Amino acid sequence: MATQYTITKSVVANTRLYGSTWENTGPQGTNTVTMGMSGSTQHYAFFRFGDIDIPPYATIISATFKFYVSGGTDNSGRTHNVSGVTDNGTLWTESARNGAGRDTTVTTGVYVASKAGSWFNANIKAIVEAWRDGIMDATRGICLTHSGENSYKIIDGRLRGNYPRLTIIYEIPASIPIPDTSTLEIGNELTVNLTGVEDGVYHKIRYKIGETTLAEHEIGAATTDTYTVETSAGAYFPNTLTGTLTVECETYEDEEYTASRGSVTANVTLTLPSDKAPTCTTTLSVAWVDGVDAGAQFDVYVQGKGGVRVQTAGTGMYGATIASYSVTCEGKAYTTADATHKPFTGSGSIKVYTTVTDSRGVVSATHEDTLTVIAWKQPQITAFTVARVDASGKPLRDGVRMKATIKATANSITVDAAEENSIEFQVEYREKGAATWTEAKAVSIAGISVDGGYVLKDANDADIDDFDDMKGYDFVLALSDIYAASTATAQIA
């Protein structure tokens, strides 16, 4: 037979509600409570019994609320309603209602005969089962009432000899598993001891997460079992930091495990090892802003024109998956696995910080990459003048040739110790007031600076010698490196 247990409780608090009145003194200070209809007012009797601990696997055999009726309307009997109690979250007391009222999730009834001076027993098994299952709160107690006429009854309270009392009898149908710890890190061993074991019974122990059985051990008449929870168990709670391992002990009456008495369970909280954080790696490559010529796209990072493509890979630990990405460069944040930061606003040593967050909300260690970014800005023109010259390039006031004097620099773009930047410039000109510009031949400089004078030439590399010495001219210099151009202007009166 299964082991039986008895809970016996005396009432620890009782009070009555009628209209807006909440009191525990009873009529004429008799230390009683009342229930049912008195005239046009309905009375509610409330009772509390303190903490009641019923195992969730218990089978309720009986639950009896015993109370003594010492007065009331002496008329035909009524079946009074018995319910649970709910409140505003603060436990009601005999002097403070705290929002207490009936919890009718589960109700039952008790027939109270007409005459006073008698004990009555209310079968509240259904309510106690609701307490056991957690759908009602045992600490809030019970409430008795009736809404029909001639149903008013007076019940002796806790300060009288015939105080209310509660008796609950329940069975544990099988042996009870007692894990040696309430919290276990996956990868470790759990020991389970059985208690409440009767002679001549046999056991199966199952280790489960949710509906998945990780292992089942047939231990016969033994009362101890051990099980190592593999780290792979983390896959069964990929979105939380802890999981619940259910240890189920099923008791049988025969060695063949065919006649089951039932099962009892216990729970163990599973935790993760200290290395639970996901890992994070990156693959970096050069990126370029739109418009950069393919021939100028070297395998280096360049300020203003270049950027970095960050491809992030993360690995979740113990069954977790990667839920999000974070990339930060030069104060800008990106949240994709494939992110591009461009252009670089700074130069020199630039940091890229990357993390991943897994499905449990655990963030990886920050992965740090350091890039060397070449300083670059548009070519700097510090001087541009134009003067009339003779055929030898010497100044001549009424000369028909023009000589541009230019001073400018560009940034060095060094790749594998070789200079890859260069300068090219071209001068356009027009007579003052004219709408059409004419281009002189472009000049290329193998280097990153120019400081000298250049006679304007035509496409055939011949001196342009038809500048009218009686007219003024406008000139525009366009000087570029491999990434961008700068301009300057000059005039001849």
Side-chain angles (χ1 to χ4, degrees):
M1 292 182 61
T3 304
Q4 280 195 354
Y5 300 84
T6 299
I7 297 174
T8 301
K9 292 281 186 176
S10 301
V11 67
V12 298
N14 53 242
T15 191
R16 63 177 181 155
L17 172 67
Y18 59 99
S20 60
T21 300
W22 178 270
E23 65 174 17
N24 73 321
T25 57
Q28 292 82 48
T30 54
N31 293 319
T32 59
V33 294
T34 55
M35 65 177 181
M37 293 295 294
S38 176
S40 60
T41 302
Q42 187 170 356
H43 290 237
Y44 302 83
F46 289 82
F47 303 92
R48 279 200 292 111
F49 304 93
D51 293 331
I52 298 176
D53 185 18
I54 304 172
Y57 42 79
T59 299
I60 307 302
I61 303 303
S62 64
T64 303
F65 171 57
K66 186 175 183 180
F67 59 98
Y68 187 83
V69 174
S70 57
T73 303
D74 190 13
N75 206 310
S76 57
R78 297 285 188 273
T79 299
H80 287 251
N81 183 276
V82 186
S83 68
V85 176
T86 185
D87 52 35
N88 62 10
T90 300
L91 187 64
W92 64 267
T93 68
E94 292 180 337
S95 59
R97 182 178 177 183
N98 296 330
R102 299 172 68 223
D103 181 351
T104 58
T105 303
V106 176
T107 62
T108 186
V110 56
Y111 182 80
V112 180
S114 59
K115 72 174 186 176
S118 298
W119 286 99
F120 293 92
N121 295 316
N123 179 1
I124 62 168
K125 178 182 176 184
I127 291 175
V128 171
E129 288 173 337
W131 291 347
R132 176 201 61 193
D133 298 338
I135 60 176
M136 293 173 68
D137 189 348
T139 61
R140 265 58 185 173
I142 60 174
C143 175
L144 276 69
T145 191
H146 194 286
S147 59
E149 62 179 356
N150 297 322
S151 58
Y152 179 74
K153 297 296 179 185
I154 300 172
I155 302 172
D156 281 9
R158 66 179 178 84
L159 297 178
R160 305 193 71 168
N162 293 327
Y163 56 83
R165 57 210 68 183
L166 173 65
T167 302
I168 301 170
I169 300 174
Y170 65 88
E171 286 184 348
I172 303 300
S175 302
I176 303 169
I178 308 295
D180 65 343
T181 180
S182 61
T183 303
L184 183 75
E185 183 181 293
I186 58 175
N188 289 293
E189 184 179 81
L190 179 71
T191 298
V192 178
N193 297 301
L194 303 184
T195 188
V197 179
E198 298 179 26
D199 292 337
V201 296
Y202 305 87
H203 306 102
K204 284 184 181 180
I205 309 294
R206 299 182 186 92
Y207 300 90
K208 304 165 69 174
I209 298 179
E211 298 300 316
T212 301
T213 299
L214 304 181
E216 180 180 275
H217 297 170
E218 295 181 356
I219 66 170
T223 58
T224 299
D225 189 43
T226 58
Y227 173 62
T228 298
V229 182
E230 301 293 340
T231 56
S232 58
Y236 294 101
F237 52 102
N239 301 318
T240 57
L241 290 171
T242 60
T244 299
L245 177 72
T246 298
V247 181
E248 179 184 50
C249 173
E250 187 168 5
T251 301
Y252 293 84
E253 295 181 352
D254 61 320
E255 290 185 85
E256 291 74 28
Y257 300 102
T258 59
S260 174
R261 277 195 182 179
S263 299
V264 175
T265 61
N267 290 333
V268 175
T269 298
L270 298 179
T271 61
L272 299 167
S274 58
D275 63 346
K276 59 183 174 293
T279 61
C280 175
T281 59
T282 58
T283 301
L284 307 183
S285 56
V286 176
W288 297 94
V289 300
D290 294 341
V292 174
D293 187 80
Q297 296 183 12
F298 306 106
D299 192 23
V300 292
Y301 299 108
V302 178
Q303 180 185 17
K305 290 296 180 179
V308 60
R309 180 184 181 188
V310 184
Q311 294 171 286
T312 305
T315 302
M317 301 296 288
Y318 306 110
T321 56
I322 301 303
S324 63
Y325 303 81
S326 174
V327 178
T328 303
C329 184
E330 294 188 303
K332 292 188 176 181
Y334 307 89
T335 57
T336 58
D338 192 342
T340 298
H341 170 75
K342 63 181 181 181
F344 290 113
T345 58
S347 62
S349 181
I350 300 292
K351 302 284 189 181
V352 179
Y353 302 101
T354 310
T355 61
V356 296
T357 302
D358 69 14
S359 52
R360 296 187 177 104
V362 181
V363 181
S364 69
T366 299
H367 182 88
E368 180 180 307
D369 292 292
T370 302
L371 311 178
T372 299
V373 178
I374 297 173
W376 177 88
K377 58 184 176 181
Q378 283 186 286
Q380 303 297 297
I381 301 171
T382 56
F384 173 50
T385 60
V386 180
R388 293 179 183 274
V389 295
D390 62 16
S392 66
K394 294 180 179 180
L396 180 64
R397 182 176 180 180
D398 57 356
V400 294
R401 294 172 174 81
M402 297 289 182
K403 184 177 183 179
T405 299
I406 303 168
K407 187 173 184 179
T409 57
N411 284 92
S412 176
I413 305 295
T414 303
V415 181
D416 296 331
E419 180 60 64
E420 296 292 348
N421 205 1
S422 60
I423 289 177
E424 181 178 278
F425 64 85
Q426 187 173 44
V427 176
E428 291 182 311
Y429 62 93
R430 69 179 179 184
E431 290 183 9
K432 280 190 175 295
T436 302
W437 292 85
T438 301
E439 293 180 345
K441 184 179 180 180
V443 179
S444 296
I445 303 295
I448 57 173
S449 67
V450 56
D451 186 3
Y454 301 85
V455 176
L456 302 187
K457 296 180 180 295
D458 63 18
N460 296 318
D461 205 32
D463 290 352
I464 300 172
D465 57 4
D466 58 356
F467 287 97
D468 191 329
D469 63 351
M470 300 301 291
K471 295 180 179 180
Y473 290 88
D474 297 321
F475 300 89
V476 175
L477 170 66
L479 185 144
S480 61
D481 69 357
I482 60 175
Y483 295 121
S486 298
T487 61
T489 61
Q491 294 83 35
I492 293 284

